[in-house]
Amino acid sequence: MDIEGLPLPENAPEPGSCVRMHRPEGGLVELILDPPHRSMAVLDVPLLRDFDQCLDEIEKDSSLRGLVITGRDPLSFAVGADIDAIGGVTDVDLARRMVRSGQAVFQRLHLLSRSGGGRLKIVAAVGGPVPGGACELALACDLILLSDHDKSRIGLPEVKLGIYPGWGGTQRLPRRIGLPAAMGAILSGRLYAARQAKKLGLVDRLTPPEYLLRIARNLATGRERLEPPTRGWRSFVIDRNPAAKALIAKQSHKQVMAQTKGHYPAPLKAIEMVIAACSTPLETGLEAEARHVAPLIVNSVTKSLVGLFHRSEEAKALA
Amino acid sequence: MTSNGNRIVLAAGLRLPQARAGIAYAGEDAGHLGASCARELFARTGIDPGQLSEVFVGCVGPPHDQANVGRVIALRAGVPRSVPAMTLGRNCASGMQAVTSAATAIKAGRGDLYLALGVEVMSAYPLIFNRQATQFFGRLARARSLGAKLGAALSWRPSMLAPRIAITEGLTDPTNGLIMGRTGEILAREFGISRDDADHYATESHRRAKVARDSKRFARELVPHLPLGPAGKKGSLLADDGIRDDQSVEALGKMRPYFEKPDGVVTIGNACGISDGAAALLVSTEARARELGLTPLAAIRSYAWSGCDPARMGLGPVYSSAKALKDAGLEMSDIGAVELNEAFAAQVLACRKAFASEDFARKELGRERALGALEHSKTNINGGAIALGHPVGATGARLCLTAAHELEASDIEFSLATLCIGGGQGGAVILERISA
């Protein structure tokens, strides 16, 4: 991954220290997101770079059959993309490059996975807050296993920052849970509790936090059989049916306009992306996603909303 | 424990075989089942029930038409009308409560001969009309004119057919909404008990119970239940019917977790059964017992009740045993046999870890050192509730009875009967051998 010119956090650690690689048994490898410079893992440039390096090694090792991606502990995975970097970037081209480089890492992971045509069964074993980029990372895997706990929250809240999910979220979520549900999730920016996420199909399986790793390993090695979800006939009748798409687009548009009075451009762009997702090849969709999200990132709306986000976090910390 | 320098003893005891709910005692009610056990005890000991100071009966779910089921049992068992009787409740420890209440009463000098009995007929736990249905019947009863009656009748809805299930609601802690099995799951996670450990434990419980039955160990404490009527009538039972002679770990491994699917540890197979049963003990002083021509089974050295987190009620035995040991001035190493009720295999295994944990002792028990090893070879030597069943009100008395007999059977000085109690409590009784 080429990180030349991409914004690095001030205290960025040396390469190779953000992701730990662990081989609990033959044929299985675990990637643990554990950046030393963050109390909560953030998918910032150093972490993505290290993640990418781990994939180099995994690609070379032909003995591997399973991969588990997890956090420091069963109730902390990652809190998403680097919001400071999003708030700081003012150049459209740089913004697009930032998005594309993240997409590239996730796409590489996806191509290694069974559902992407690769040889690895990839399981995202997540828990605690799994918002935005963290959720998109999980979406690039074959299976998502979530800690069944009150602290678990998963979803794509990007619209609340004036952007939309740009690391494949608008493309992969509709493929996974269908167009109508994905539209609702992305436009509302809602974070789902464990049971709701399971019901929605956003995650494939729940397990108590204490059992998260054990079950993830069982899934990745195939000791427990669980197939990635497929939309089946619904894909034809709903997700790729022009009439259904037109109806969903119209309804969503109406709803967004009623709520935003047209002041926020991101949800409207998100509708376009999600509507087209299931009828477009993934690579083309990702390219469009990055191209359209870049102007939103540098937009003043986003800068204001990022500021608002920081203030509200500070306020929460005081409470 | 003594009364005027006289040791308080379990003078005699007897229990009925425990039956899986809905099988042998399906047609019984607590009043009859308890009385048949008490009658047999009087017959065997030759005690005149008129000499009893009082009758204490532990029962968790007395039949609604026998609110003071203790009195019903006493009268049906031939106890004279002049002898009072009461029903006691402390959930799963109600039978043990009857024993300790009797001991306390003797110590206080209120009397010197008590019948302490535990009984439960879980088969008879009812389905109850739900609130809407109850209100519907109320409206119907209040309606006077034909029109009003018709109007009330029309307010019937199919949802009124959905019953409330007394046994599920009874086994759910109202303060935290956890059904008992889920408290077992909490302990399994906290103490790292695996499904495999639990299944192995359960299999061993069945094996031990089978040996105890076949070697006539249980014959010491058990009276076959033979109801009156034509031969072959349903309801006769010679031994506990929950024991599975061919129980294998593999078979248990195939069962699905019942309370937390799909990753839970507690299955129907490694949890105690829902059962019916009764156990009766005569509690007296050593002198009085000998005067009556009885050889006491055991002296009560100490007993203790304790409270703990309702969500971790399975650890109750650890807290109460610590207290009872302290009162008795004993250590775990002095105890030759332990009857620790097997609510769930995972719960027993969690208790074992807590007994041995120095950390737990410091944080929870206020002790410097760990309570001591709960050795598998000394614990539930004759199997436990996983094989024998857990008729909730009876179990406490059954544990005391089995632990009392174990003193002689294992040739030991002290035994401990302890159990966990829904709602977050523990009870423990330490028994001491009486040399003849």
Side-chain angles (χ1 to χ4, degrees):
Chain A
M1 172 177 165
D2 175 23
I3 63 163
E4 186 63 41
L6 297 185
L8 283 169
E10 282 171 22
N11 52 352
E14 53 189 273
S17 57
C18 293
V19 180
R20 281 190 287 128
M21 221 166 154
H22 174 58
R23 292 170 188 263
E25 56 188 290
L28 179 65
V29 66
E30 278 167 16
L31 292 183
I32 301 144
L33 311 185
D34 189 14
H37 61 299
R38 302 267 193 188
S39 59
M40 305 261 258
V42 172
L43 301 175
D44 55 10
V45 173
L47 189 135
L48 289 172
R49 172 199 62 198
D50 293 350
F51 194 88
D52 198 49
Q53 264 172 14
C54 291
L55 293 184
D56 285 341
E57 205 173 310
I58 289 166
E59 259 175 7
K60 278 182 231 147
D61 189 343
S62 60
S63 71
L64 292 177
R65 290 291 171 273
L67 168 60
V68 172
I69 298 171
T70 191
R72 276 186 191 129
D73 66 65
L75 289 179
S76 64
F77 180 59
V79 292
D82 186 353
I83 290 181
D84 295 322
I86 291 174
V89 62
T90 49
D91 176 52
V92 179
D93 277 335
L94 180 63
R96 202 183 59 83
R97 256 194 71 210
M98 277 166 62
V99 176
R100 282 300 274 171
S101 58
Q103 280 186 350
V105 178
F106 291 5
Q107 182 64 358
R108 198 172 166 204
L109 182 72
H110 175 65
L111 292 176
L112 277 169
S113 75
R114 295 269 169 88
S115 42
R119 63 192 156 79
L120 295 177
K121 186 94 172 182
I122 304 183
V123 179
V126 302
V130 191
C135 176
E136 294 177 282
L137 170 55
L139 286 170
C141 302
D142 286 309
L143 293 171
I144 305 178
L145 175 67
L146 178 68
S147 285
D148 190 359
H149 193 276
D150 291 344
K151 285 189 181 153
S152 287
R153 289 279 184 279
I154 185 166
L156 296 170
E158 279 89 343
V159 285
K160 295 185 176 168
L161 293 178
I163 53 176
Y164 61 76
W167 282 343
T170 64
Q171 303 302 301
R172 291 197 177 98
L173 191 63
R175 283 173 165 81
R176 175 176 253 272
I177 67 173
L179 195 52
M183 191 66 89
I186 289 171
L187 290 184
S188 67
R190 192 170 150 202
L191 290 173
Y192 297 89
R195 296 280 154 93
Q196 297 167 322
K198 173 73 177 72
K199 210 172 153 198
L200 196 69
L202 180 50
V203 304
D204 302 297
R205 193 174 180 313
L206 300 178
T207 192
E210 290 86 348
Y211 304 152
L212 186 75
L213 262 192
R214 175 166 63 86
I215 302 296
R217 287 170 187 168
N218 287 349
L219 290 171
T221 52
R223 276 195 294 270
E224 180 181 330
R225 293 186 63 81
L226 184 65
E227 288 309 314
T230 49
R231 284 283 287 165
W233 59 270
R234 272 174 265 138
S235 173
F236 291 95
V237 180
I238 304 168
D239 305 344
R240 287 191 273 173
N241 175 355
K245 276 163 49 179
L247 182 70
I248 294 167
K250 198 176 152 212
Q251 290 298 330
S252 310
H253 199 273
K254 213 162 92 185
Q255 214 178 341
V256 167
M257 289 307 281
Q259 281 183 18
T260 66
K261 316 271 187 290
H263 296 307
Y264 294 90
L268 299 172
K269 272 286 170 218
I271 294 174
E272 281 178 36
M273 293 297 123
V274 175
I275 286 290
C278 296
S279 339
T280 325
L282 184 57
E283 193 44 64
T284 321
L286 289 174
E287 198 279 323
E289 189 187 64
R291 183 155 34 85
H292 288 105
V293 83
L296 295 174
I297 291 176
V298 298
N299 193 321
S300 61
V301 174
T302 296
K303 304 304 171 206
S304 308
L305 285 171
V306 167
L308 192 61
F309 173 80
H310 280 309
R311 297 298 90 73
S312 73
E313 288 296 298
E314 281 165 22
K316 271 187 223 161
L318 289 175
Chain B
M1 287 177 78
T2 54
S3 170
N4 291 329
N6 222 326
R7 285 198 287 183
I8 299 170
V9 298
L10 302 179
L14 206 56
R15 72 177 178 94
L16 294 177
Q18 302 192 144
R20 282 177 292 151
I23 315 267
Y25 302 150
E28 293 283 354
D29 69 40
H32 281 111
L33 201 66
S36 78
C37 187
R39 258 198 314 270
E40 187 66 24
L41 181 65
F42 296 145
R44 288 203 177 186
T45 53
I47 297 280
D48 168 15
Q51 301 195 334
L52 290 172
S53 309
E54 194 168 358
V55 175
F56 289 151
V57 172
C59 185
V60 179
H64 68 277
D65 55 350
Q66 303 170 12
N68 183 7
V69 71
R71 178 65 170 169
V72 176
I73 289 172
L75 292 179
R76 282 185 180 158
V79 177
R81 294 172 185 177
S82 56
V83 176
M86 78 184 292
T87 310
L88 304 119
R90 200 196 281 264
N91 273 357
C92 320
S94 301
M96 187 177 274
Q97 182 64 51
V99 174
T100 63
S101 290
T104 310
I106 294 171
K107 190 172 169 67
R110 307 283 303 176
D112 60 3
L113 184 64
Y114 287 80
L115 174 67
L117 188 142
V119 63
E120 204 70 48
V121 180
M122 297 177 88
S123 305
Y125 280 12
L127 302 182
I128 307 163
F129 279 115
N130 62 28
R131 189 187 296 266
Q132 294 99 298
T134 314
Q135 286 166 348
F136 166 76
F137 287 122
R139 282 194 299 275
L140 209 55
R142 279 193 306 274
R144 287 284 165 263
S145 69
L146 187 64
K149 279 180 182 156
L150 207 62
L154 282 173
S155 70
W156 187 85
R157 297 286 175 275
S159 65
M160 292 173 185
L161 289 175
R164 297 177 57 183
I165 303 165
I167 193 151
T168 338
E169 295 190 2
L171 289 175
T172 303
D173 188 333
T175 62
N176 57 17
L178 290 172
I179 192 162
M180 288 305 125
R182 301 200 66 154
T183 70
E185 294 286 3
I186 289 173
L187 291 185
R189 290 203 288 275
E190 196 169 309
F191 287 84
I193 311 294
S194 74
R195 171 71 190 276
D196 204 42
D197 297 340
D199 286 348
H200 272 98
Y201 183 89
T203 310
E204 178 64 9
S205 178
H206 280 283
R207 195 195 63 78
R208 289 180 175 187
K210 175 174 179 278
V211 171
R213 183 196 60 196
D214 295 347
S215 67
K216 309 279 184 233
R217 161 64 182 83
F218 279 153
R220 290 167 183 252
E221 57 185 65
L222 205 138
V223 54
H225 183 64
L226 299 168
L228 297 174
K233 189 187 161 211
K234 205 179 140 201
S236 61
L237 195 62
L238 303 180
D240 306 301
D241 73 355
I243 307 169
R244 285 191 292 271
D245 291 0
D246 51 355
Q247 186 63 63
S248 70
V249 179
E250 292 72 34
L252 284 183
K254 287 189 189 123
M255 301 186 93
R256 296 238 301 145
Y258 186 77
F259 299 99
E260 284 188 4
K261 300 174 183 75
D263 301 319
V265 171
V266 181
T267 68
I268 301 290
N270 63 34
C272 63
I274 291 172
S275 329
D276 307 332
L281 291 154
L282 282 173
V283 185
S284 185
T285 62
E286 191 173 0
R288 183 75 202 277
R290 299 222 188 261
E291 196 181 295
L292 291 166
L294 300 172
T295 312
L297 301 172
I300 299 177
R301 175 73 179 237
S302 71
Y303 75 80
W305 299 103
S306 64
C308 64
D309 176 8
R312 292 173 180 74
M313 66 94 203
L315 296 175
V318 192
Y319 298 89
S320 56
S321 299
K323 249 172 139 173
L325 284 168
K326 195 175 170 211
D327 285 357
L330 296 172
E331 291 292 328
M332 269 311 278
S333 50
D334 300 320
I335 304 292
V338 181
E339 285 293 320
L340 191 151
N341 191 40
E342 296 169 350
F344 310 102
Q347 166 260 332
V348 179
L349 294 171
C351 279
R352 190 194 292 172
K353 289 199 173 180
F355 264 87
S357 160
E358 208 163 282
D359 197 43
F360 190 89
R362 258 200 299 270
K363 275 192 201 138
E364 298 288 333
L365 307 176
R367 288 171 54 110
E368 272 310 299
R369 288 177 302 113
L371 196 50
L374 186 66
E375 284 166 42
H376 194 32
S377 58
K378 291 200 298 199
T379 310
N380 300 341
I381 309 171
N382 305 303
I386 290 171
L388 306 176
H390 179 20
V392 278
T395 297
R398 204 266 305 165
L399 294 170
C400 291
L401 180 61
T402 306
H405 278 289
E406 204 52 42
L407 293 170
E408 201 182 286
S410 288
D411 191 16
I412 51 174
E413 207 54 37
F414 299 103
S415 64
L416 165 69
T418 179
L419 78 179
C420 59
I421 305 167
Q425 297 190 60
V429 174
I430 293 178
L431 299 174
E432 184 178 6
R433 194 166 176 188
I434 295 175
S435 22

